[in-house]
């Protein structure tokens, strides 16, 4: 019997009273595990088995954390899932440990570089992309048409430019533009236009009559223009309602003429050696399962520590996915002020959810539960580990831009594309995305490295996943092995030596803005 076929489970901590079934397809009733435990019923892959008799009301412990309570008696060998457990109450935001955990020894990591594009503002791009900012959703169809024409007719003449993307969204008009909360989507759009992968060549398409006028979205001085651009301090704007635009073809010509000027600027740029300290890596998970916290996320956390040790920046996010581990985060804060900022963001988001009458059980999703995650507490424990072990050096509110290095909490909703959009605004130039159930997530603006939590997913979605972290579950690879593999892949992708699966397939969605409205 091979390692892959003999009954296997993973217990995270000695104090845990449940473990996770490893085998593809799960195990049938009567299966005997290596320690003699016999399953009382069939248990799917990734789901929990009780390791001892649990009485009604007993704590269900995973990660050495109470992730639920038995809603009925669960004899040893029982299937433990959301139907037979209840969820713990949320951790209070009062009386938290504030910057109390000593930082682990993390010696500097030297000798690693990547080939990047240096920008006038000191940031570094991993790609060389022409981005066309839009002020309002009304211009989306025109910009999409223009981008297709630019790619087909102009881009081949500029071989050093990687791509052309429209920064399209559903904001800009039909909204209370001065309402509380409106600052979030506006600064998000502005800061996305400043992303390091766009090289400081600012181009914008406006309709003309929208509430979000160009000068409000991109005030003078918003973007340090690339050296040699010859554009002074202004942002090139094409207004579709301008009188010189006579008909649709005229609009497209105006956009293409402006785009060609920017393509010529970008085409003169060349990659040069850059230290890892110039990387800004966003980490995120979606379509998570019980393996997320065992394989992919720990490997991402190991790689995140390598980036931080090399002086780089790693952002983790998803308020609702880490809220139930807030005490772990505030303890890891580098200073009390950072801990207070974490509490502030969680409190703000608690109030935001309360206004919408959403409760914590809305997260997890049906797919999460099918993958073995009973509730948000269990999901939170697995989500946090992708942040590694470094102290948390900073906190960003939604739409804000990075101002420091190290491990940073970027406060975002858990929705995949909203989280990715806000990390783009913060300034990430490389994205890591883990998934257990599978999702065709991708971003046009930065390369996205996809990490599968299970080998079965990596095999089935062989042309969508870049790394198979499921090898950790069977013992074929260690967390350290996969962490180093991911780190080396990050440098190759950042250097343009390798395209990710999502890049090859051009998988991406439009930007998803977070428009919270007033939160009191």
């Amino acid at each position: 019997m091979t390692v892959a076929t003999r009954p296997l489970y993973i217990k995270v901590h000695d104090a845990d009273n449940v473990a996770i079934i490893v085998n593809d397809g799960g195990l049938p009733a009567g299966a005997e595990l290596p320690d003699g435990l016999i399953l009382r019923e069939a248990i799917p892959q990734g789901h929990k088995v009780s390791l001892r008799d649990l009485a009604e009301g007993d704590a269900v412990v995973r990660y050495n954390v109470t992730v639920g309570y038995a809603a009925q008696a669960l004899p040893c060998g029982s299937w433990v899932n959301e139907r037979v457990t209840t969820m713990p109450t949320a951790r209070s935001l009062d009386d938290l440990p504030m910057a109390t955990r000593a930082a682990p020894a993390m010696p500097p990591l030297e000798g690693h570089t990547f080939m990047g594009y240096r920008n006038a503002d000191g940031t570094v791009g991993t790609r060389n992309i022409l981005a066309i900012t839009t002020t309002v959703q009304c211009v989306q169809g025109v910009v999409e048409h223009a981008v297709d024409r630019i790619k087909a007719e102009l881009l081949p003449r500029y071989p050093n430019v990687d791509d052309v993307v429209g920064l399209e969204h559903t904001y800009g008009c039909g909204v209370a533009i001065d309402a509380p909360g409106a600052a979030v989507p506006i600064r998000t759009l502005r800061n996305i236009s400043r992303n390091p992968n766009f090289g400081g060549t600012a181009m914008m398409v406006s309709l003309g009559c929208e509430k979000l006028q160009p000068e409000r979205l991109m005030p003078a001085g918003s973007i340090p223009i690339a050296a040699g651009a010859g554009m002074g301090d202004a942002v090139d704007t094409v207004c579709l309602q301008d009188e010189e635009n006579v008909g649709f073809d005229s609009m497209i010509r105006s956009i293409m003429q402006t785009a060609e000027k920017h393509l010529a600027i970008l085409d003169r740029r060349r990659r040069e050696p850059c230290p890892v300290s110039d990387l800004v890596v966003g980490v995120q998970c979606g379509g998570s399962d019980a393996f997320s916290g065992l394989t992919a996320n720990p490997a991402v956390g190991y790689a995140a520590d390598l980036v931080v040790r090399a002086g780089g920046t790693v952002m983790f996010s998803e308020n609702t996915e880490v809220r139930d581990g807030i005490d772990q985060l505030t303890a890891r804060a580098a200073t009390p002020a950072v801990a207070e900022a974490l509490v502030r963001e969680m409190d703000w988001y608690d109030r935001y959810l309360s206004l919408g009458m959403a409760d914590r059980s809305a997260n997890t999703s049906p797919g999460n539960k099918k993958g073995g995650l009973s509730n948000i507490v269990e999901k939170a424990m697995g989500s946090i580990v992708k942040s590694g072990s470094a102290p948390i050096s900073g906190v960003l509110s939604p739409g804000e831009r990075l101002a420091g290095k190290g491990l940073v909490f970027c406060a975002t909703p858990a929705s995949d594309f909203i989280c990715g959009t806000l990390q783009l605004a913060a300034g990430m130039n490389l994205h890591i995305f883990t998934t257990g159930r599978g999702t065709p997530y991708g971003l046009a603006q930065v390369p996205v490295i996809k990490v599968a939590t299970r080998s079965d997913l990596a095999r089935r979605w062989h042309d969508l996943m870049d790394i198979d972290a499921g090898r950790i579950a069977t013992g074929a690879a260690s967390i350290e092995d996969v962490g180093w593999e991911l780190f080396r892949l990050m440098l190759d992708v950042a250097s343009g030596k390798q395209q990710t699966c999502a890049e090859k397939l051009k998988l991406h969605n439009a930007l998803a803005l977070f428009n919270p409205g007033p939160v009191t």
Side-chain angles (χ1 to χ4, degrees):
M1 185 179 292
T2 66
V3 169
T5 58
R6 78 168 182 263
L8 292 173
Y9 69 71
I10 293 178
K11 179 181 176 182
V12 178
H13 191 276
D14 287 343
D16 291 355
N17 57 22
V18 293
I20 303 302
I21 298 297
V22 169
N23 302 77
D24 287 351
L27 291 173
E32 184 174 352
L33 294 166
D35 60 359
L37 181 87
I38 296 176
L39 301 191
R40 300 178 65 89
E41 55 195 308
I43 301 181
Q45 183 189 38
H47 283 248
K48 296 179 288 297
V49 57
S50 59
L51 301 178
R52 65 173 179 80
D53 293 340
L54 298 176
E56 182 178 351
D58 280 355
V60 176
V61 181
R62 186 182 175 208
Y63 300 105
N64 194 29
V65 170
T66 296
V67 298
Y69 296 95
Q72 63 189 53
L74 297 171
C76 183
S78 296
W79 179 12
V80 181
N81 55 59
E82 74 279 2
R83 295 184 296 276
V84 297
T85 57
T86 59
M87 188 164 62
T89 57
R91 176 70 158 86
S92 169
L93 294 178
D94 297 322
D95 300 320
L96 292 166
M98 307 293 272
T100 55
R101 186 180 302 174
M106 297 183 69
L109 182 65
E110 300 174 343
H112 298 275
T113 60
F114 70 100
M115 300 295 289
Y117 295 98
R118 292 207 171 274
N119 297 318
D121 63 357
T123 62
V124 171
T126 61
R127 294 293 183 267
N128 190 27
I129 296 172
L130 170 61
I132 302 177
T133 299
T134 58
T135 59
V136 66
Q137 67 265 40
C138 309
V139 304
Q140 179 172 334
V142 176
V143 171
E144 286 178 348
H145 188 92
V147 166
D148 288 343
R149 290 274 304 271
I150 293 165
K151 288 181 177 181
E153 299 172 30
L154 300 181
L155 193 58
R157 305 210 301 263
Y158 299 96
N160 295 312
V161 182
D162 294 314
D163 203 358
V164 180
V165 299
L167 303 183
E168 297 146 2
H169 54 89
T170 57
Y171 192 69
C173 207
V175 294
I177 206 75
D178 292 310
V184 173
I186 294 172
R187 73 186 179 209
T188 299
L189 285 171
R190 181 182 305 133
N191 285 333
I192 288 174
S193 300
R194 302 173 65 192
N195 187 275
N197 285 356
F198 304 151
T201 64
M203 176 180 171
M204 181 162 45
V205 175
S206 159
L207 181 60
C209 60
E210 63 269 30
K211 293 178 182 176
L212 183 55
Q213 287 288 296
E215 59 273 14
R216 178 162 186 177
L217 176 58
M218 302 287 279
S222 295
I223 294 184
I225 301 299
M231 288 182 278
D233 198 32
V235 175
D236 269 351
T237 302
V238 175
C239 179
L240 301 187
Q241 290 177 347
D242 279 354
E243 291 182 3
E244 57 264 31
N245 285 326
V246 181
F248 180 74
D249 285 344
S250 178
M251 296 176 189
I252 299 300
R253 282 197 304 272
S254 295
I255 295 171
M256 292 181 70
Q257 288 169 0
T258 303
E260 186 154 24
K261 178 169 60 172
H262 289 263
L263 288 169
I265 297 163
L266 291 169
D267 196 58
R268 294 196 292 267
R269 289 157 55 80
R270 297 293 182 272
R271 291 185 182 271
E272 58 184 275
C274 299
V276 178
S277 57
D278 288 323
L279 277 182
V280 180
V281 181
V283 298
Q284 187 187 353
C285 49
S288 300
D289 66 358
F291 283 97
S292 295
L294 298 176
T295 61
N297 287 354
V300 170
Y302 189 89
D305 283 347
L306 295 177
V307 172
V308 173
R309 285 172 55 193
T313 303
V314 174
M315 292 185 292
F316 72 109
S317 296
E318 302 165 285
N319 291 53
T320 55
E321 304 235 333
V322 301
R323 169 65 176 81
D324 277 274
I326 183 60
D327 54 328
Q328 296 180 31
L329 302 185
T330 55
R332 283 175 60 191
T335 66
V338 171
E340 289 165 6
L342 285 163
V343 173
R344 180 193 69 224
E345 291 300 334
M346 296 300 161
D347 176 65
W348 184 93
Y349 208 74
D350 281 356
R351 289 182 282 118
Y352 168 73
L353 292 176
S354 178
L355 286 172
M357 294 182 288
D359 80 50
R360 293 158 66 231
S361 65
N363 191 344
T364 55
S365 70
N368 296 152
K369 293 174 182 177
K370 189 173 181 179
L373 293 172
S374 296
N375 58 46
I376 187 55
V377 181
E378 185 178 8
K379 189 178 182 183
M381 296 305 110
S383 179
I384 287 172
V385 296
K386 67 181 180 290
S387 67
S389 58
I392 301 168
S393 61
V395 176
L396 294 174
S397 294
E400 288 184 342
R401 196 164 189 248
L402 278 169
K405 294 185 180 293
L407 178 66
V408 175
F409 180 71
C410 180
T412 78
S415 171
D416 295 346
F417 282 96
I418 296 178
C419 176
T421 297
L422 290 168
Q423 289 187 343
L424 281 170
M428 77 168 169
N429 52 21
L430 185 64
H431 199 40
I432 313 296
F433 189 95
T434 70
T435 184
R437 303 302 299 167
T439 167
Y441 173 92
L443 296 170
Q445 299 81 11
V446 298
V448 179
I449 296 173
K450 303 282 282 295
V451 184
T453 73
R454 297 178 297 121
S455 294
D456 178 62
L457 175 64
R459 286 190 296 266
R460 290 189 296 108
W461 288 26
H462 58 90
D463 52 358
L464 287 166
M465 297 292 130
D466 298 290
I467 287 184
D468 172 16
R471 294 168 292 154
I472 296 169
T474 61
S478 67
I479 290 170
E480 293 80 3
D481 292 337
V482 179
W484 272 108
E485 178 185 348
L486 175 58
F487 179 74
R488 288 189 289 266
L489 178 61
M490 288 161 59
L491 299 185
D492 283 347
V493 169
S495 299
K497 294 179 181 178
Q498 188 166 335
Q499 279 193 320
T500 68
C501 291
E503 281 187 291
K504 292 173 186 175
L505 295 171
K506 299 191 180 301
L507 283 176
H508 56 82
N509 281 26
L511 300 176
L513 296 183
F514 180 41
N515 183 19
V519 179
T520 57

